[in-house]
Amino acid sequence: AILSAEQNLGFISVEKRGNKAMVSLKELKNSPAKFPVFYSDITADEPCEILKIVVYSGTLLKKAGEKVNEGEAIIGAYYEKENGERVPCAVVATYSAKFVFNYEYEFTAGFFEESVPDAIAAAKSELFKNEEYPIFNVDCVENGDKIEVEIEYEKTFPQKTGG
Protein backbone atom coordinates (compact mmCIF):
# COMPACT_ATOMS: atom_id res chain seq x y z
CA ALA A 1 0.00 0.00 0.00
CA ILE A 2 1.12 3.55 -0.63
CA LEU A 3 1.37 5.89 2.32
CA SER A 4 -0.87 8.88 2.55
CA ALA A 5 1.00 12.19 2.34
CA GLU A 6 -0.57 13.17 5.67
CA GLN A 7 1.13 10.31 7.51
CA ASN A 8 4.34 11.09 9.34
CA LEU A 9 6.12 7.87 8.37
CA GLY A 10 9.61 7.88 6.91
CA PHE A 11 10.38 4.20 6.61
CA ILE A 12 8.40 0.98 6.54
CA SER A 13 9.86 -2.48 6.31
CA VAL A 14 8.13 -5.83 6.20
CA GLU A 15 9.98 -8.99 7.17
CA LYS A 16 8.36 -12.36 6.57
CA ARG A 17 8.97 -14.99 9.27
CA GLY A 18 7.22 -18.22 8.44
CA ASN A 19 3.52 -17.40 8.25
CA LYS A 20 3.94 -14.04 10.08
CA ALA A 21 4.87 -10.61 8.79
CA MET A 22 6.88 -8.27 11.04
CA VAL A 23 6.20 -4.62 10.15
CA SER A 24 8.61 -1.90 11.32
CA LEU A 25 7.64 1.76 11.12
CA LYS A 26 9.90 4.78 11.65
CA GLU A 27 8.51 8.24 12.14
CA LEU A 28 9.94 11.23 10.27
CA LYS A 29 11.53 14.10 12.13
CA ASN A 30 10.55 16.46 9.31
CA SER A 31 7.05 15.53 8.33
CA PRO A 32 6.46 15.44 4.58
CA ALA A 33 3.05 16.92 5.39
CA LYS A 34 4.94 20.24 5.62
CA PHE A 35 5.61 20.01 1.90
CA PRO A 36 2.98 20.42 -0.82
CA VAL A 37 1.61 17.27 -2.43
CA PHE A 38 1.77 17.01 -6.23
CA TYR A 39 -0.21 14.62 -8.40
CA SER A 40 1.97 14.86 -11.51
CA ASP A 41 5.70 14.56 -12.22
CA ILE A 42 7.94 17.29 -10.81
CA THR A 43 9.75 18.87 -13.77
CA ALA A 44 12.45 21.53 -14.08
CA ASP A 45 11.17 25.01 -14.95
CA GLU A 46 14.63 25.89 -16.26
CA PRO A 47 18.01 24.19 -16.70
CA CYS A 48 19.71 23.35 -13.40
CA GLU A 49 22.00 20.93 -11.56
CA ILE A 50 20.49 18.88 -8.73
CA LEU A 51 22.37 19.41 -5.45
CA LYS A 52 20.23 17.51 -2.91
CA ILE A 53 17.02 15.53 -3.27
CA VAL A 54 14.71 13.75 -0.81
CA VAL A 55 11.69 11.80 -2.03
CA TYR A 56 9.07 10.77 0.53
CA SER A 57 6.61 9.52 -2.08
CA GLY A 58 7.13 9.13 -5.82
CA THR A 59 10.01 7.87 -7.96
CA LEU A 60 13.45 9.45 -8.01
CA LEU A 61 14.37 10.13 -11.65
CA LYS A 62 17.41 12.41 -11.19
CA LYS A 63 20.20 12.16 -8.62
CA ALA A 64 22.36 14.78 -6.92
CA GLY A 65 25.03 15.98 -9.35
CA GLU A 66 22.92 15.43 -12.48
CA LYS A 67 22.15 18.28 -14.85
CA VAL A 68 18.50 18.69 -15.82
CA ASN A 69 17.07 20.44 -18.89
CA GLU A 70 13.98 22.64 -18.86
CA GLY A 71 10.84 20.46 -18.82
CA GLU A 72 12.71 17.29 -17.84
CA ALA A 73 11.15 15.16 -15.07
CA ILE A 74 13.02 15.07 -11.74
CA ILE A 75 10.55 13.06 -9.64
CA GLY A 76 7.88 10.75 -11.10
CA ALA A 77 4.30 10.64 -9.79
CA TYR A 78 4.35 6.83 -9.68
CA TYR A 79 6.09 3.87 -8.17
CA GLU A 80 7.11 0.72 -9.99
CA LYS A 81 6.02 -2.73 -8.98
CA GLU A 82 8.46 -5.62 -9.25
CA ASN A 83 6.89 -6.59 -12.59
CA GLY A 84 7.66 -3.08 -13.97
CA GLU A 85 4.05 -1.87 -13.83
CA ARG A 86 3.80 1.83 -12.96
CA VAL A 87 1.24 2.72 -10.31
CA PRO A 88 0.26 6.41 -9.96
CA CYS A 89 0.94 8.05 -6.60
CA ALA A 90 1.23 11.50 -5.08
CA VAL A 91 4.66 13.15 -5.03
CA VAL A 92 5.93 14.45 -1.71
CA ALA A 93 9.54 15.54 -2.06
CA THR A 94 12.04 18.34 -1.79
CA TYR A 95 15.17 19.15 -3.75
CA SER A 96 17.67 21.95 -4.12
CA ALA A 97 19.36 22.86 -7.37
CA LYS A 98 22.01 25.19 -8.73
CA PHE A 99 20.86 27.68 -11.37
CA VAL A 100 22.72 30.17 -13.56
CA PHE A 101 21.37 33.69 -14.16
CA ASN A 102 22.84 35.87 -16.93
CA TYR A 103 22.42 39.63 -16.98
CA GLU A 104 23.73 42.36 -19.29
CA TYR A 105 24.56 45.71 -17.71
CA GLU A 106 25.29 48.71 -19.92
CA PHE A 107 27.72 51.20 -18.44
CA THR A 108 28.11 54.68 -19.90
CA ALA A 109 30.81 56.30 -17.80
CA GLY A 110 33.91 55.17 -15.99
CA PHE A 111 35.98 52.07 -16.28
CA PHE A 112 34.96 48.42 -16.25
CA GLU A 113 36.37 47.83 -12.73
CA GLU A 114 34.49 50.84 -11.34
CA SER A 115 31.19 49.68 -12.88
CA VAL A 116 31.34 46.04 -11.72
CA PRO A 117 29.72 46.67 -8.27
CA ASP A 118 26.81 48.50 -9.95
CA ALA A 119 26.45 45.70 -12.53
CA ILE A 120 26.35 43.03 -9.80
CA ALA A 121 23.83 45.06 -7.77
CA ALA A 122 21.59 45.48 -10.83
CA ALA A 123 21.80 41.76 -11.65
CA LYS A 124 20.94 40.78 -8.05
CA SER A 125 18.04 43.24 -8.03
CA GLU A 126 16.64 41.64 -11.21
CA LEU A 127 17.22 38.07 -10.03
CA PHE A 128 16.04 38.42 -6.44
CA LYS A 129 12.82 40.38 -6.97
CA ASN A 130 10.83 38.48 -4.33
CA GLU A 131 13.43 36.71 -2.18
CA GLU A 132 17.14 36.00 -1.97
CA TYR A 133 18.87 32.67 -2.52
CA PRO A 134 22.36 31.49 -1.59
CA ILE A 135 24.95 32.53 -4.20
CA PHE A 136 27.81 30.21 -5.21
CA ASN A 137 29.67 32.42 -7.66
CA VAL A 138 29.49 35.73 -9.55
CA ASP A 139 31.49 36.35 -12.74
CA CYS A 140 31.70 39.59 -14.70
CA VAL A 141 33.10 39.96 -18.22
CA GLU A 142 33.57 43.17 -20.19
CA ASN A 143 31.96 43.11 -23.63
CA GLY A 144 32.29 46.51 -25.32
CA ASP A 145 30.14 48.97 -23.37
CA LYS A 146 28.39 46.15 -21.50
CA ILE A 147 29.21 44.01 -18.51
CA GLU A 148 27.97 40.42 -18.71
CA VAL A 149 27.14 39.19 -15.22
CA GLU A 150 26.70 35.49 -14.47
CA ILE A 151 25.35 34.46 -11.06
CA GLU A 152 25.27 30.83 -9.87
CA TYR A 153 22.70 30.44 -7.07
CA GLU A 154 20.72 27.79 -5.20
CA LYS A 155 16.96 27.36 -4.84
CA THR A 156 15.03 24.74 -2.89
CA PHE A 157 11.76 23.28 -4.19
CA PRO A 158 9.03 23.18 -3.26
CA GLN A 159 8.89 25.84 -0.62
CA LYS A 160 7.67 24.47 2.72
CA THR A 161 4.08 25.22 3.67
CA GLY A 162 2.32 25.29 6.98
CA GLY A 163 3.94 24.59 10.35
Side-chain angles (χ1 to χ4, degrees), residues 46-158:
E46 57 187 290
C48 62
E49 179 182 338
I50 303 297
L51 298 173
K52 297 177 276 188
I53 190 162
V54 178
V55 178
Y56 299 105
S57 176
T59 298
L60 178 68
L61 300 174
K62 296 293 178 184
K63 299 176 194 156
E66 288 190 75
K67 294 187 187 295
V68 181
N69 296 316
E70 181 178 344
E72 201 171 353
I74 299 168
I75 304 161
Y78 62 88
Y79 76 94
E80 281 192 31
K81 291 183 171 184
E82 286 182 25
N83 65 4
E85 177 187 355
R86 289 184 177 185
V87 178
C89 70
V91 173
V92 181
T94 182
Y95 72 95
S96 63
K98 180 169 69 173
F99 294 85
V100 176
F101 176 75
N102 293 298
Y103 184 80
E104 245 183 31
Y105 178 80
E106 193 169 326
F107 65 103
T108 54
F111 296 101
F112 169 76
E113 292 81 12
E114 294 170 350
S115 299
V116 166
D118 290 338
I120 292 172
K124 284 182 174 180
S125 176
E126 181 69 23
L127 174 60
F128 303 134
K129 290 180 181 175
N130 297 319
E131 62 183 287
E132 288 201 28
Y133 304 104
I135 293 177
F136 294 110
N137 188 45
V138 177
D139 281 328
C140 295
V141 176
E142 184 176 7
N143 185 2
D145 62 345
K146 294 184 171 98
I147 298 175
E148 295 174 358
V149 181
E150 180 181 276
I151 300 175
E152 293 180 346
Y153 65 100
E154 177 183 1
K155 283 184 1 184
T156 299
F157 297 94

